[in-house]
Amino acid sequence: MNLSQLDDLLSQLEAAAPSLAEPDAWPREQLAAMSEAGVLGWLVPAEFGGSDISPLELVAGYRKLAAACLTSVFVLTQRNAAIQRLVRSPNFELKERLLRALVDDSIFATVGISHLTTSRQHWKKPTVRAEETDDGFVFNGDIPWVTGADRADVVVSGGTLPDGRQLLVAVDMNSPGVTAQTPAPLMALNASRTASIKLENVLVPASDLVAGPIENVMKVAGGGAGSHTTSALAVGHSAAALKLLRGEAKKRPDLEEIVEPFAKELAALESALDKATAWTGNDLPERLSAETLRQQSNSLALRSTQAALAASKGAGFIAGHPASRLVSEAMFFLVWSCPQPVVLANLRELAATRCETSFDTTS
């Protein structure tokens, strides 16, 4: 990781972040800047033109990028999620064809796998159905929550065969029967262009098979909900809120008592995330588990951004103010790839009674 290049990139991303709130925005220029800084090759092995950085470097990089522009790094994570599945695939020809193109930014890939991890798992009928043919696999259904759906060249997604086995494939977005739906208006991160993709008798050749067919293909292909990536982005977002708070504290010294505990909590959480990422033993302490770190990261992102809004006073409530944007973006962590135990933990915290004042009505 070239830190000097990354510093320049962070400045560019932070300066351009407000522009992503404009209608029909897409972080094309941000991705190009990431390419120039070498970020797009982070997860790609050197044999395919990438840099293949360590998990610890990746988590640190994600935190820095998220502090500069959450929308851009979220799009990056979805692209990288596609890369991770491709790297783990035994299909060398597919990797050779796609990974090099991803490193030089000549194509954009993303993932549509939430229906195999968290989204719509309660449905009796598979969201995306697959049938094996002599020419490959035919897919029908709707892929939910695809970031960059109408900007992607390739979507790594999956389906379920009639016998219950699952598979992952690289879907060419130019294939007949593939339709990216209009992105739904979101509370924040609209520039991620997140939408569903409709598949109608889409033939995917066997040469584009990423993993499977096998039961629970995500266990083989890697990934799933609640990874350190989501926590790293939440922690980075908290760092952005803390930066805003510190700026307000320079004008109002009374805010120092608010900044200090947030700063300590952020540093402790960054350290815990690094320890969990670097852990090589079998017995990971509960305090370093993915679910615990995700719950704590969510909590800090929510509280620190609201503190930044309160410190900014009325100006922070105006659309376009950094505090306003940070608060709305923080809500995303409550719904993005969030396992049910994490959701419940966050809900319990929100429902907790924090008032210590005793109201005695008898006197």
Side-chain angles (χ1 to χ4, degrees):
M1 183 189 303
N2 190 319
L3 293 180
S4 62
Q5 281 187 312
L6 191 59
D7 286 341
D8 293 339
L9 172 63
L10 297 177
S11 297
Q12 293 180 54
L13 295 180
E14 186 174 3
S19 67
L20 293 181
E22 298 175 2
D24 297 322
W26 169 249
R28 178 64 262 168
E29 294 182 1
Q30 287 83 347
L31 289 170
M34 289 182 194
S35 176
E36 186 175 343
V39 170
L40 298 190
W42 277 0
L43 291 180
V44 178
E47 64 178 305
F48 299 110
S51 52
D52 197 17
I53 66 174
S54 71
L56 196 58
E57 289 177 309
L58 180 64
V59 165
Y62 277 156
R63 287 202 304 261
K64 289 179 177 292
L65 292 171
C69 179
L70 183 62
T71 300
S72 296
V73 71
F74 169 60
V75 171
L76 175 68
T77 65
Q78 302 310 285
R79 173 193 174 278
N80 284 354
I83 288 177
Q84 287 176 309
R85 274 78 192 179
L86 290 169
V87 168
R88 291 173 66 98
S89 174
N91 190 341
F92 182 85
E93 290 76 12
L94 180 66
K95 292 194 286 190
E96 178 72 26
R97 172 158 45 96
L98 295 182
L99 290 178
R100 292 188 183 279
L102 284 163
V103 170
D104 65 22
D105 197 28
S106 59
I107 66 170
F108 175 74
T110 187
V111 288
I113 55 175
S114 65
H115 58 291
L116 300 174
T117 55
T118 57
S119 180
R120 306 186 184 181
Q121 287 294 287
H122 59 286
W123 288 23
K124 292 183 179 180
K125 188 176 181 180
T127 302
V128 179
R129 303 171 301 284
E131 294 183 9
E132 190 167 5
T133 71
D134 293 337
D135 299 319
F137 302 90
V138 175
F139 288 82
N140 283 279
D142 293 286
I143 309 173
W145 302 111
V146 181
T147 294
D150 61 355
R151 297 295 193 273
D153 300 289
V154 175
V155 176
V156 174
S157 188
T160 304
L161 293 166
D163 62 6
R165 290 180 301 158
Q166 299 174 328
L167 67 159
L168 287 184
V169 294
V171 180
D172 185 338
M173 287 297 292
N174 290 318
S175 298
V178 179
T179 306
Q181 305 298 309
T182 301
L186 305 177
M187 183 176 180
L189 282 77
N190 278 295
S192 68
R193 309 292 298 175
T194 299
S196 62
I197 294 177
K198 189 174 185 60
L199 305 177
E200 296 180 287
N201 295 317
V202 176
L203 175 63
V204 178
S207 59
D208 289 342
L209 182 65
V210 176
I214 193 173
E215 292 185 4
N216 299 315
V217 71
M218 292 303 296
K219 291 184 178 180
V220 175
S227 71
H228 292 324
T229 295
T230 50
S231 296
L233 265 63
V235 170
H237 196 62
S238 301
L242 181 60
K243 181 179 179 179
L244 196 156
L245 270 172
R246 282 183 167 138
E248 291 295 328
K250 290 181 179 179
K251 298 177 287 186
R252 296 161 51 200
D254 58 305
L255 291 176
E256 285 294 341
E257 66 174 291
I258 306 301
V259 171
E260 184 177 356
F262 274 125
K264 288 182 177 179
E265 184 177 356
L266 177 62
L269 196 47
E270 288 176 336
S271 177
L273 190 57
D274 286 344
K275 288 179 180 178
T277 302
W279 192 271
T280 57
N282 294 323
D283 300 321
L284 184 69
E286 175 59 28
R287 64 184 178 82
L288 297 180
S289 71
E291 288 184 356
T292 297
L293 292 176
R294 179 67 193 276
Q295 187 274 325
Q296 293 175 347
S297 301
N298 278 11
S299 174
L300 181 58
L302 293 170
R303 290 181 288 108
S304 62
T305 55
Q306 290 179 57
L309 174 62
S312 300
K313 298 186 175 182
F317 200 66
I318 297 175
H321 190 281
S324 174
R325 175 169 53 82
L326 290 173
V327 168
S328 60
E329 289 178 344
M331 299 296 108
F332 180 54
F333 294 106
L334 292 176
V335 297
W336 174 35
S337 191
C338 207
Q340 193 59 25
V342 175
V343 174
L344 289 175
N346 287 138
L347 288 174
R348 291 189 183 105
E349 181 181 26
L350 292 171
T353 302
R354 296 186 176 276
C355 181
E356 298 178 357
T357 303
S358 176
F359 295 96
D360 187 354
T361 60
T362 59
S363 58

